[in-house]
Amino acid sequence: MNDAGHSNVMRPEDTPELRQLYADFEAEHLKPLWTQIDDLMPVVPNPKAVPHIWKWSKLFPLAERSGDLVPVGRGGERRAIGLANPGLGGKAYISPTLWAAIQYLGPRETAPEHRHAQNAFRFVVEGEGVWTVVNGDPVRMSRGDLLLTPGWHFHGHHNDTDKPMAWIDGLDIPFSYQNDVGFFEFGSDRVTDYATPRFSRGERLWAHPGLRPLSELKDTVSSPLGAYRWEFTDRALTEQLLLEDEGQPATVEQGHAAVRYVNPTTGGDVMPTIRAEFHRLRAGASTPPRREVGSSVFQVFEGKGSVLLNRTETKLDKGDLFVVPSWVAWSLQAETQFDLFRFSDAPVMERLGFARTQVEEAAR
Amino acid sequence: MNDAGHSNVMRPEDTPELRQLYADFEAEHLKPLWTQIDDLMPVVPNPKAVPHIWKWSKLFPLAERSGDLVPVGRGGERRAIGLANPGLGGKAYISPTLWAAIQYLGPRETAPEHRHAQNAFRFVVEGEGVWTVVNGDPVRMSRGDLLLTPGWHFHGHHNDTDKPMAWIDGLDIPFSYQNDVGFFEFGSDRVTDYATPRFSRGERLWAHPGLRPLSELKDTVSSPLGAYRWEFTDRALTEQLLLEDEGQPATVEQGHAAVRYVNPTTGGDVMPTIRAEFHRLRAGASTPPRREVGSSVFQVFEGKGSVLLNRTETKLDKGDLFVVPSWVAWSLQAETQFDLFRFSDAPVMERLGFARTQVEEAAR
Amino acid sequence: MNDAGHSNVMRPEDTPELRQLYADFEAEHLKPLWTQIDDLMPVVPNPKAVPHIWKWSKLFPLAERSGDLVPVGRGGERRAIGLANPGLGGKAYISPTLWAAIQYLGPRETAPEHRHAQNAFRFVVEGEGVWTVVNGDPVRMSRGDLLLTPGWHFHGHHNDTDKPMAWIDGLDIPFSYQNDVGFFEFGSDRVTDYATPRFSRGERLWAHPGLRPLSELKDTVSSPLGAYRWEFTDRALTEQLLLEDEGQPATVEQGHAAVRYVNPTTGGDVMPTIRAEFHRLRAGASTPPRREVGSSVFQVFEGKGSVLLNRTETKLDKGDLFVVPSWVAWSLQAETQFDLFRFSDAPVMERLGFARTQVEEAAR
Amino acid sequence: MNDAGHSNVMRPEDTPELRQLYADFEAEHLKPLWTQIDDLMPVVPNPKAVPHIWKWSKLFPLAERSGDLVPVGRGGERRAIGLANPGLGGKAYISPTLWAAIQYLGPRETAPEHRHAQNAFRFVVEGEGVWTVVNGDPVRMSRGDLLLTPGWHFHGHHNDTDKPMAWIDGLDIPFSYQNDVGFFEFGSDRVTDYATPRFSRGERLWAHPGLRPLSELKDTVSSPLGAYRWEFTDRALTEQLLLEDEGQPATVEQGHAAVRYVNPTTGGDVMPTIRAEFHRLRAGASTPPRREVGSSVFQVFEGKGSVLLNRTETKLDKGDLFVVPSWVAWSLQAETQFDLFRFSDAPVMERLGFARTQVEEAAR
């Protein structure tokens, strides 16, 4: 933080009196600011979390092996394997605020019901056959779907087929843990409803564009729509690119279509701490480097391309996940049509007044 | 307003001095409150507007005849015939706040473009073939659709077929006129785009449940979704009744499904002064008498039934319109499955703190 | 509305068929738009209300005479004399939305308690000695004070002295009447508390800058602070002009200080339909002509100056009131330091999306 | 977290295969949830931070000694000594979200200007003579005052007297550091204005109850009122207790008056991450034990009493500070009239949907 031109008058000479003062601070549970300010108050965010990429080709086989070795059930609750940011000292945090995991459920298995203050979602990059039961409402999980479990909603999962299924979980566990906001309660050891309807009750009430049931006029903190189906996401992105072809404003920037998943009662984010988006790049398109306050996680849904994180470019394949810590410049390059799911802690940053974005001139 | 038990001390004796005082008031443009308070400040709303029913079987032939006799074009702007509440002294006001009209466009005709501060919508009870062009975006009009023209959006209509078409217009003209908020500007004498796409650009960007384009993150006062298609409305109502069959909470009350049309950027009403809803009653169902502050207009979309307004019951057929003035008790009875479109000034009442509702015990 | 360049194709030839059509419209309670659109949808607001000035030197003696001739009491409720805009056909409306009246209470008189949905306030241009009791809380009324009676709050007044007192009342009676939102209920024939405290309970809880009682954390539609004292208003305006002298941004424009009275729970307007402000011009200062959607009323509190309404200038003295209808250009010129109270329907315009302002280049 | 009645099926047998799986997780930066869920997702918040009390009688002499030994100036920026929660591993965090420090400025010293994204305030328990210059506006600091430095406002301090002065600083440094939202910029090495006005420009514009300058109508994220004077706080609390004496609702509970410091543009908290309050208990009064999500810090301003934290009671004297971690039950007992300043991270909890409160039956 120190400019060359600034003297640092507050590094006093190391005298016995100063040592005694510092020892007396310690005894009274005190720490001076002047010795730590460079670390505590950096010029720009200086995250301990690092950019990192996890390959789906490694994740999925490990999840499969845990399916063989670790039974799912009460106590451990979920066969979920957290992505641990290499910069965060071995905790299962993908960023200081976010948790991302691959969860695996074998044929006919059930993950028992519970609820917690932490907000959660699932996103399905491949497979089908599992239903998640949220406050008693069975929700089908299929490729491309985003499924919500907002804070304090009971939920369990069951696999209705003879094949295993894996997906990713996103939660605000690190944020909740760090800030001591977590509550947890066990529910039924089995799911409360083993029905396997094509559409959940939440969808049947809420998944009608521009319409709101008159029986549900109170706005809710989190979205009452528990499932965002791939069919709609795909169609919305397709239309944006078609509109762009017709010369109409519709995309974020040339060749880059994107949607945000929203709470239909407010038009805002699906949950108070987590934003979810889906991005599609045309083959050959790229995005300018962006720095944002807060962290996000991307998963490649389909296609081939690469990501530039700070100055390092990495090839990406279907299912690969990567994390962008706060203020790390990121940009995407699409080799084929390139589809990515994204989630982030942006609602935290916006609601607390910390959001900033910097879009740079293209780096190459 | 006067209870029997109250003396009225403020009816002073009729003396020459009092007469002179009243004459002097008049000369100075003054009016005493004490002689008018009963009228000005009633115990409950005492609307001059009366409940009234217009039969589609009368409206449509009159619209047809005006199609023969009155050309559409610049100056008069629209071949629209306003429903004039019999209590409102001959003005084309269906209520103190709302305008409702039947508009008619002959084969290949064009209604020229203009814009105004007044908020407007169209609802189509039958027919097809007209496109309304809103800020340059052509919007198909088909049976069951709600089409918006929020304040200060340019709009014109053209009939692309060899058949005439009629629909209803709803606006806040009386409110705007009364409160002197109107602005008006002519646009193109023809519509700016004669294309006839199945879906408007607004729909292609916005009609995806729970999704919002990343290119459009600013909330808007009125809905950016210009067309609410019958297909979605019908499906939402159908699902509510199916959920009710399954014992799930979904309907307003037994046998009464309903949706509100909303602005997807906020979850609130489609326009700042006008609420739009669609109601479906099962055959045999009825609604308890309700009094509400503010006025509304219903149009029967399909089915047979009746409405009780104050204590008068009237049979209703497809296309029939009726107005419910403020604090008039209304209830619906369905003979067959009974579908009704409704619009009202409820957003005005809610935003200004005047909303009240009273649901009465069933009257029979 | 018709530009010279536009034909008016919709003025069809006057044939027997057309006459019959129009007669049939009439029989069915229908009115065509094309014959009325110029009136109903003007290019800019075309208010029936006219700018008008009422002289305090005339108003006060008339109020005094009514004090002699008309007893105050139950039934008539208030000895209030409404200012009737000469353009509004003899109704006691100062504008289409607003009511303004001079109210007069003789020595030791009581105006009985009642409540109504209409929002009300009092502003005191001279005198003292009356307490208004609002929901049981006695509120002193003194020169320069703004006192609120939000909708559905019980209120009565009593004069605790041997001298009469007069003040102005502002309400949304015309708006409420026009839109049928009024409810009214009698309360006690006497006021419920004849105490004469210097400060009301509402002030004791709320009139502390930047502080909110922890016992009152729910935001309220109208301000819980029932009295805005002259001492604070005067000090705020004085400071703005001193800051301007110091070269700091603080005034609306050179020589023009102003405050808005706000609801401390939200920072917004004191009541949902009525805005209240106080303006101070330095001697010699003037304001550029402004047009605004919506109407306002000013009362001169102190000093001498004039107002330009459209192109007519009028001298103003203490107590004089004038109304500015929608979109009428107004500007103030100060001869001495010039203090004016203002109230308007601006919250209605803003909440319903109709607000527009145009500041013109100085007219002279 | 495990109930006695629940088996823990997810503690699989320790086999070579399992060990290999866990090693392979490690190599791929993965961590299973099932081995950590008890820690990560507790039944109720289980903070690492502990309740702790710092005595002013110890703090102040240490601050004085640092005044002798450590010069203040550029680089270290502030002679501030942070209170380090004994449970948080030696960091200068009083809680996971909050920073509290004693800051000391010797006679005629200046702390240079800088700005940062972190939100800050000062509260003065004793002394006077320092001005803090916030975005160029000199703000006097006197006993009982709360002074704000919202995020990204330039600020420096200078002591205008020949006596030292100490006060407490509160910031969201831990939250900002943890979530990587910090930005920092040096400003002037001296303060930009050495004037010593009694009232800052912010106060002169904004410290008028219920009034808002017309030149400042845009709501701001943080309060534009930079100083909350003791005179007003004291008066507000005094009035609440007098109202309670009169049998009126005004206090939080019997004998417990309290105010929240608010942003006058919104009525909400002064800054997006920090809530500030002042509490006064009558001699002999106590508060029922409360658990709240989120952490707070209290400082005794005047009087004698004690605090019960979990089940430990501690006597408190003027200037003593204590921290209440999340979900720790706290209650206050007043020996004399007992005045305490409080700040907390409650806005974070409320804006993100995590707020919960539990008021227990009195513990004794």
Side-chain angles (χ1 to χ4, degrees), chain A residues 119 150 218-223 263 265-266 269-272 351, chain D residues 351-353:
Chain A
N119 297 287
K218 244 189 173 168
D219 293 350
T220 51
V221 167
S222 293
S223 177
N263 174 346
T265 73
T266 63
D269 284 297
V270 287
M271 297 186 294
R351 288 169 191 223
Chain D
R351 288 169 192 222
L352 303 182

mmCIF file with all atom_site columns, all heavy atoms in Angstrom, chain A residues 119 150 218-223 263 265-266 269-272 351, chain D residues 351-353:
data_model
loop_
_atom_site.group_PDB
_atom_site.id
_atom_site.type_symbol
_atom_site.label_atom_id
_atom_site.label_alt_id
_atom_site.label_comp_id
_atom_site.label_asym_id
_atom_site.label_entity_id
_atom_site.label_seq_id
_atom_site.pdbx_PDB_ins_code
_atom_site.Cartn_x
_atom_site.Cartn_y
_atom_site.Cartn_z
_atom_site.occupancy
_atom_site.B_iso_or_equiv
_atom_site.pdbx_formal_charge
_atom_site.auth_seq_id
_atom_site.auth_comp_id
_atom_site.auth_asym_id
_atom_site.auth_atom_id
_atom_site.pdbx_PDB_model_num
ATOM 1   N N   . ASN A 1 119 ? -28.577 -20.865 2.293  1.00 0.00 ? 119 ASN A N   1
ATOM 2   C CA  . ASN A 1 119 ? -29.289 -20.952 1.024  1.00 0.00 ? 119 ASN A CA  1
ATOM 3   C C   . ASN A 1 119 ? -28.548 -21.916 0.097  1.00 0.00 ? 119 ASN A C   1
ATOM 4   O O   . ASN A 1 119 ? -27.315 -21.910 0.065  1.00 0.00 ? 119 ASN A O   1
ATOM 5   C CB  . ASN A 1 119 ? -29.344 -19.576 0.367  1.00 0.00 ? 119 ASN A CB  1
ATOM 6   C CG  . ASN A 1 119 ? -30.121 -18.578 1.196  1.00 0.00 ? 119 ASN A CG  1
ATOM 7   O OD1 . ASN A 1 119 ? -31.348 -18.662 1.268  1.00 0.00 ? 119 ASN A OD1 1
ATOM 8   N ND2 . ASN A 1 119 ? -29.433 -17.643 1.854  1.00 0.00 ? 119 ASN A ND2 1
ATOM 9   N N   . PRO A 1 150 ? -34.048 -22.535 -0.846 1.00 0.00 ? 150 PRO A N   1
ATOM 10  C CA  . PRO A 1 150 ? -33.750 -21.345 -0.049 1.00 0.00 ? 150 PRO A CA  1
ATOM 11  C C   . PRO A 1 150 ? -33.646 -21.677 1.439  1.00 0.00 ? 150 PRO A C   1
ATOM 12  O O   . PRO A 1 150 ? -34.129 -22.726 1.895  1.00 0.00 ? 150 PRO A O   1
ATOM 13  C CB  . PRO A 1 150 ? -34.957 -20.438 -0.329 1.00 0.00 ? 150 PRO A CB  1
ATOM 14  C CG  . PRO A 1 150 ? -35.554 -20.943 -1.592 1.00 0.00 ? 150 PRO A CG  1
ATOM 15  C CD  . PRO A 1 150 ? -35.323 -22.428 -1.555 1.00 0.00 ? 150 PRO A CD  1
ATOM 16  N N   . LYS A 1 218 ? -48.030 -11.954 -1.563 1.00 0.00 ? 218 LYS A N   1
ATOM 17  C CA  . LYS A 1 218 ? -46.969 -11.437 -0.686 1.00 0.00 ? 218 LYS A CA  1
ATOM 18  C C   . LYS A 1 218 ? -45.607 -11.737 -1.300 1.00 0.00 ? 218 LYS A C   1
ATOM 19  O O   . LYS A 1 218 ? -45.316 -12.876 -1.653 1.00 0.00 ? 218 LYS A O   1
ATOM 20  C CB  . LYS A 1 218 ? -47.068 -12.109 0.686  1.00 0.00 ? 218 LYS A CB  1
ATOM 21  C CG  . LYS A 1 218 ? -47.393 -11.116 1.775  1.00 0.00 ? 218 LYS A CG  1
ATOM 22  C CD  . LYS A 1 218 ? -47.265 -11.728 3.147  1.00 0.00 ? 218 LYS A CD  1
ATOM 23  C CE  . LYS A 1 218 ? -47.432 -10.663 4.220  1.00 0.00 ? 218 LYS A CE  1
ATOM 24  N NZ  . LYS A 1 218 ? -47.589 -11.285 5.549  1.00 0.00 ? 218 LYS A NZ  1
ATOM 25  N N   . ASP A 1 219 ? -44.762 -10.728 -1.418 1.00 0.00 ? 219 ASP A N   1
ATOM 26  C CA  . ASP A 1 219 ? -43.415 -10.962 -1.931 1.00 0.00 ? 219 ASP A CA  1
ATOM 27  C C   . ASP A 1 219 ? -42.628 -11.822 -0.949 1.00 0.00 ? 219 ASP A C   1
ATOM 28  O O   . ASP A 1 219 ? -42.805 -11.712 0.263  1.00 0.00 ? 219 ASP A O   1
ATOM 29  C CB  . ASP A 1 219 ? -42.677 -9.645  -2.138 1.00 0.00 ? 219 ASP A CB  1
ATOM 30  C CG  . ASP A 1 219 ? -43.292 -8.819  -3.256 1.00 0.00 ? 219 ASP A CG  1
ATOM 31  O OD1 . ASP A 1 219 ? -44.162 -9.361  -3.979 1.00 0.00 ? 219 ASP A OD1 1
ATOM 32  O OD2 . ASP A 1 219 ? -42.918 -7.651  -3.412 1.00 0.00 ? 219 ASP A OD2 1
ATOM 33  N N   . THR A 1 220 ? -41.749 -12.652 -1.500 1.00 0.00 ? 220 THR A N   1
ATOM 34  C CA  . THR A 1 220 ? -40.951 -13.530 -0.653 1.00 0.00 ? 220 THR A CA  1
ATOM 35  C C   . THR A 1 220 ? -39.472 -13.205 -0.838 1.00 0.00 ? 220 THR A C   1
ATOM 36  O O   . THR A 1 220 ? -39.042 -12.771 -1.900 1.00 0.00 ? 220 THR A O   1
ATOM 37  C CB  . THR A 1 220 ? -41.215 -14.994 -1.013 1.00 0.00 ? 220 THR A CB  1
ATOM 38  O OG1 . THR A 1 220 ? -41.059 -15.150 -2.427 1.00 0.00 ? 220 THR A OG1 1
ATOM 39  C CG2 . THR A 1 220 ? -42.620 -15.410 -0.634 1.00 0.00 ? 220 THR A CG2 1
ATOM 40  N N   . VAL A 1 221 ? -38.712 -13.402 0.244  1.00 0.00 ? 221 VAL A N   1
ATOM 41  C CA  . VAL A 1 221 ? -37.278 -13.111 0.256  1.00 0.00 ? 221 VAL A CA  1
ATOM 42  C C   . VAL A 1 221 ? -36.547 -13.932 -0.811 1.00 0.00 ? 221 VAL A C   1
ATOM 43  O O   . VAL A 1 221 ? -35.638 -13.441 -1.479 1.00 0.00 ? 221 VAL A O   1
ATOM 44  C CB  . VAL A 1 221 ? -36.721 -13.419 1.662  1.00 0.00 ? 221 VAL A CB  1
ATOM 45  C CG1 . VAL A 1 221 ? -35.214 -13.452 1.658  1.00 0.00 ? 221 VAL A CG1 1
ATOM 46  C CG2 . VAL A 1 221 ? -37.248 -12.400 2.659  1.00 0.00 ? 221 VAL A CG2 1
ATOM 47  N N   . SER A 1 222 ? -36.941 -15.192 -0.957 1.00 0.00 ? 222 SER A N   1
ATOM 48  C CA  . SER A 1 222 ? -36.365 -16.048 -1.984 1.00 0.00 ? 222 SER A CA  1
ATOM 49  C C   . SER A 1 222 ? -37.451 -16.436 -2.973 1.00 0.00 ? 222 SER A C   1
ATOM 50  O O   . SER A 1 222 ? -38.635 -16.310 -2.689 1.00 0.00 ? 222 SER A O   1
ATOM 51  C CB  . SER A 1 222 ? -35.764 -17.294 -1.353 1.00 0.00 ? 222 SER A CB  1
ATOM 52  O OG  . SER A 1 222 ? -34.652 -16.943 -0.558 1.00 0.00 ? 222 SER A OG  1
ATOM 53  N N   . SER A 1 223 ? -37.046 -16.905 -4.115 1.00 0.00 ? 223 SER A N   1
ATOM 54  C CA  . SER A 1 223 ? -38.001 -17.235 -5.167 1.00 0.00 ? 223 SER A CA  1
ATOM 55  C C   . SER A 1 223 ? -38.924 -18.384 -4.778 1.00 0.00 ? 223 SER A C   1
ATOM 56  O O   . SER A 1 223 ? -38.468 -19.409 -4.289 1.00 0.00 ? 223 SER A O   1
ATOM 57  C CB  . SER A 1 223 ? -37.241 -17.639 -6.432 1.00 0.00 ? 223 SER A CB  1
ATOM 58  O OG  . SER A 1 223 ? -38.155 -18.015 -7.423 1.00 0.00 ? 223 SER A OG  1
ATOM 59  N N   . ASN A 1 263 ? -36.355 -14.078 -8.883 1.00 0.00 ? 263 ASN A N   1
ATOM 60  C CA  . ASN A 1 263 ? -37.515 -14.303 -8.032 1.00 0.00 ? 263 ASN A CA  1
ATOM 61  C C   . ASN A 1 263 ? -38.706 -13.597 -8.684 1.00 0.00 ? 263 ASN A C   1
ATOM 62  O O   . ASN A 1 263 ? -38.705 -12.364 -8.774 1.00 0.00 ? 263 ASN A O   1
ATOM 63  C CB  . ASN A 1 263 ? -37.199 -13.692 -6.654 1.00 0.00 ? 263 ASN A CB  1
ATOM 64  C CG  . ASN A 1 263 ? -38.368 -13.719 -5.694 1.00 0.00 ? 263 ASN A CG  1
ATOM 65  O OD1 . ASN A 1 263 ? -39.510 -13.960 -6.092 1.00 0.00 ? 263 ASN A OD1 1
ATOM 66  N ND2 . ASN A 1 263 ? -38.096 -13.456 -4.432 1.00 0.00 ? 263 ASN A ND2 1
ATOM 67  N N   . THR A 1 265 ? -41.494 -12.776 -7.687 1.00 0.00 ? 265 THR A N   1
ATOM 68  C CA  . THR A 1 265 ? -42.267 -11.837 -6.854 1.00 0.00 ? 265 THR A CA  1
ATOM 69  C C   . THR A 1 265 ? -41.613 -10.463 -6.793 1.00 0.00 ? 265 THR A C   1
ATOM 70  O O   . THR A 1 265 ? -42.242 -9.498  -6.374 1.00 0.00 ? 265 THR A O   1
ATOM 71  C CB  . THR A 1 265 ? -42.488 -12.344 -5.403 1.00 0.00 ? 265 THR A CB  1
ATOM 72  O OG1 . THR A 1 265 ? -41.271 -12.258 -4.652 1.00 0.00 ? 265 THR A OG1 1
ATOM 73  C CG2 . THR A 1 265 ? -43.003 -13.768 -5.384 1.00 0.00 ? 265 THR A CG2 1
ATOM 74  N N   . THR A 1 266 ? -40.345 -10.357 -7.179 1.00 0.00 ? 266 THR A N   1
ATOM 75  C CA  . THR A 1 266 ? -39.636 -9.076  -7.074 1.00 0.00 ? 266 THR A CA  1
ATOM 76  C C   . THR A 1 266 ? -38.825 -8.713  -8.317 1.00 0.00 ? 266 THR A C   1
ATOM 77  O O   . THR A 1 266 ? -38.392 -7.564  -8.447 1.00 0.00 ? 266 THR A O   1
ATOM 78  C CB  . THR A 1 266 ? -38.623 -9.114  -5.912 1.00 0.00 ? 266 THR A CB  1
ATOM 79  O OG1 . THR A 1 266 ? -37.636 -10.118 -6.208 1.00 0.00 ? 266 THR A OG1 1
ATOM 80  C CG2 . THR A 1 266 ? -39.290 -9.440  -4.597 1.00 0.00 ? 266 THR A CG2 1
ATOM 81  N N   . ASP A 1 269 ? -32.822 -11.115 -7.319 1.00 0.00 ? 269 ASP A N   1
ATOM 82  C CA  . ASP A 1 269 ? -32.109 -12.392 -7.283 1.00 0.00 ? 269 ASP A CA  1
ATOM 83  C C   . ASP A 1 269 ? -32.937 -13.506 -6.639 1.00 0.00 ? 269 ASP A C   1
ATOM 84  O O   . ASP A 1 269 ? -33.791 -13.241 -5.791 1.00 0.00 ? 269 ASP A O   1
ATOM 85  C CB  . ASP A 1 269 ? -30.774 -12.215 -6.558 1.00 0.00 ? 269 ASP A CB  1
ATOM 86  C CG  . ASP A 1 269 ? -29.756 -11.517 -7.449 1.00 0.00 ? 269 ASP A CG  1
ATOM 87  O OD1 . ASP A 1 269 ? -29.404 -12.095 -8.493 1.00 0.00 ? 269 ASP A OD1 1
ATOM 88  O OD2 . ASP A 1 269 ? -29.324 -10.401 -7.106 1.00 0.00 ? 269 ASP A OD2 1
ATOM 89  N N   . VAL A 1 270 ? -32.615 -14.742 -7.013 1.00 0.00 ? 270 VAL A N   1
ATOM 90  C CA  . VAL A 1 270 ? -33.396 -15.891 -6.549 1.00 0.00 ? 270 VAL A CA  1
ATOM 91  C C   . VAL A 1 270 ? -33.307 -16.098 -5.040 1.00 0.00 ? 270 VAL A C   1
ATOM 92  O O   . VAL A 1 270 ? -34.245 -16.594 -4.413 1.00 0.00 ? 270 VAL A O   1
ATOM 93  C CB  . VAL A 1 270 ? -32.979 -17.185 -7.275 1.00 0.00 ? 270 VAL A CB  1
ATOM 94  C CG1 . VAL A 1 270 ? -33.499 -17.165 -8.713 1.00 0.00 ? 270 VAL A CG1 1
ATOM 95  C CG2 . VAL A 1 270 ? -31.467 -17.399 -7.248 1.00 0.00 ? 270 VAL A CG2 1
ATOM 96  N N   . MET A 1 271 ? -32.154 -15.730 -4.462 1.00 0.00 ? 271 MET A N   1
ATOM 97  C CA  . MET A 1 271 ? -31.976 -15.884 -3.012 1.00 0.00 ? 271 MET A CA  1
ATOM 98  C C   . MET A 1 271 ? -31.163 -14.691 -2.525 1.00 0.00 ? 271 MET A C   1
ATOM 99  O O   . MET A 1 271 ? -30.457 -14.050 -3.306 1.00 0.00 ? 271 MET A O   1
ATOM 100 C CB  . MET A 1 271 ? -31.306 -17.224 -2.701 1.00 0.00 ? 271 MET A CB  1
ATOM 101 C CG  . MET A 1 271 ? -32.198 -18.402 -3.154 1.00 0.00 ? 271 MET A CG  1
ATOM 102 S SD  . MET A 1 271 ? -31.614 -20.052 -2.684 1.00 0.00 ? 271 MET A SD  1
ATOM 103 C CE  . MET A 1 271 ? -30.107 -20.178 -3.631 1.00 0.00 ? 271 MET A CE  1
ATOM 104 N N   . PRO A 1 272 ? -31.234 -14.363 -1.212 1.00 0.00 ? 272 PRO A N   1
ATOM 105 C CA  . PRO A 1 272 ? -30.625 -13.095 -0.774 1.00 0.00 ? 272 PRO A CA  1
ATOM 106 C C   . PRO A 1 272 ? -29.108 -13.043 -0.865 1.00 0.00 ? 272 PRO A C   1
ATOM 107 O O   . PRO A 1 272 ? -28.542 -11.954 -0.836 1.00 0.00 ? 272 PRO A O   1
ATOM 108 C CB  . PRO A 1 272 ? -31.065 -12.960 0.692  1.00 0.00 ? 272 PRO A CB  1
ATOM 109 C CG  . PRO A 1 272 ? -31.993 -14.060 0.985  1.00 0.00 ? 272 PRO A CG  1
ATOM 110 C CD  . PRO A 1 272 ? -31.985 -15.032 -0.133 1.00 0.00 ? 272 PRO A CD  1
ATOM 111 N N   . ARG A 1 351 ? -26.280 -5.450  -1.980 1.00 0.00 ? 351 ARG A N   1
ATOM 112 C CA  . ARG A 1 351 ? -27.126 -5.027  -0.856 1.00 0.00 ? 351 ARG A CA  1
ATOM 113 C C   . ARG A 1 351 ? -26.326 -4.282  0.214  1.00 0.00 ? 351 ARG A C   1
ATOM 114 O O   . ARG A 1 351 ? -26.891 -3.519  1.004  1.00 0.00 ? 351 ARG A O   1
ATOM 115 C CB  . ARG A 1 351 ? -27.800 -6.250  -0.225 1.00 0.00 ? 351 ARG A CB  1
ATOM 116 C CG  . ARG A 1 351 ? -28.887 -6.810  -1.116 1.00 0.00 ? 351 ARG A CG  1
ATOM 117 C CD  . ARG A 1 351 ? -29.373 -8.167  -0.636 1.00 0.00 ? 351 ARG A CD  1
ATOM 118 N NE  . ARG A 1 351 ? -30.219 -8.772  -1.661 1.00 0.00 ? 351 ARG A NE  1
ATOM 119 C CZ  . ARG A 1 351 ? -31.358 -9.404  -1.418 1.00 0.00 ? 351 ARG A CZ  1
ATOM 120 N NH1 . ARG A 1 351 ? -31.783 -9.541  -0.180 1.00 0.00 ? 351 ARG A NH1 1
ATOM 121 N NH2 . ARG A 1 351 ? -32.057 -9.920  -2.391 1.00 0.00 ? 351 ARG A NH2 1
ATOM 122 N N   . ARG D 1 351 ? -30.451 -7.422  5.731  1.00 0.00 ? 351 ARG D N   1
ATOM 123 C CA  . ARG D 1 351 ? -30.483 -7.314  4.271  1.00 0.00 ? 351 ARG D CA  1
ATOM 124 C C   . ARG D 1 351 ? -30.283 -8.657  3.589  1.00 0.00 ? 351 ARG D C   1
ATOM 125 O O   . ARG D 1 351 ? -30.691 -8.842  2.441  1.00 0.00 ? 351 ARG D O   1
ATOM 126 C CB  . ARG D 1 351 ? -29.395 -6.340  3.800  1.00 0.00 ? 351 ARG D CB  1
ATOM 127 C CG  . ARG D 1 351 ? -29.740 -4.898  4.137  1.00 0.00 ? 351 ARG D CG  1
ATOM 128 C CD  . ARG D 1 351 ? -28.560 -3.961  3.913  1.00 0.00 ? 351 ARG D CD  1
ATOM 129 N NE  . ARG D 1 351 ? -28.849 -2.669  4.516  1.00 0.00 ? 351 ARG D NE  1
ATOM 130 C CZ  . ARG D 1 351 ? -28.578 -1.503  3.951  1.00 0.00 ? 351 ARG D CZ  1
ATOM 131 N NH1 . ARG D 1 351 ? -27.978 -1.460  2.780  1.00 0.00 ? 351 ARG D NH1 1
ATOM 132 N NH2 . ARG D 1 351 ? -28.877 -0.379  4.549  1.00 0.00 ? 351 ARG D NH2 1
ATOM 133 N N   . LEU D 1 352 ? -29.625 -9.584  4.281  1.00 0.00 ? 352 LEU D N   1
ATOM 134 C CA  . LEU D 1 352 ? -29.360 -10.889 3.666  1.00 0.00 ? 352 LEU D CA  1
ATOM 135 C C   . LEU D 1 352 ? -30.286 -11.973 4.192  1.00 0.00 ? 352 LEU D C   1
ATOM 136 O O   . LEU D 1 352 ? -30.098 -13.164 3.907  1.00 0.00 ? 352 LEU D O   1
ATOM 137 C CB  . LEU D 1 352 ? -27.891 -11.264 3.879  1.00 0.00 ? 352 LEU D CB  1
ATOM 138 C CG  . LEU D 1 352 ? -26.898 -10.227 3.336  1.00 0.00 ? 352 LEU D CG  1
ATOM 139 C CD1 . LEU D 1 352 ? -25.468 -10.706 3.549  1.00 0.00 ? 352 LEU D CD1 1
ATOM 140 C CD2 . LEU D 1 352 ? -27.129 -9.937  1.847  1.00 0.00 ? 352 LEU D CD2 1
ATOM 141 N N   . GLY D 1 353 ? -31.291 -11.581 4.957  1.00 0.00 ? 353 GLY D N   1
ATOM 142 C CA  . GLY D 1 353 ? -32.317 -12.549 5.353  1.00 0.00 ? 353 GLY D CA  1
ATOM 143 C C   . GLY D 1 353 ? -31.916 -13.482 6.483  1.00 0.00 ? 353 GLY D C   1
ATOM 144 O O   . GLY D 1 353 ? -32.576 -14.499 6.706  1.00 0.00 ? 353 GLY D O   1
#
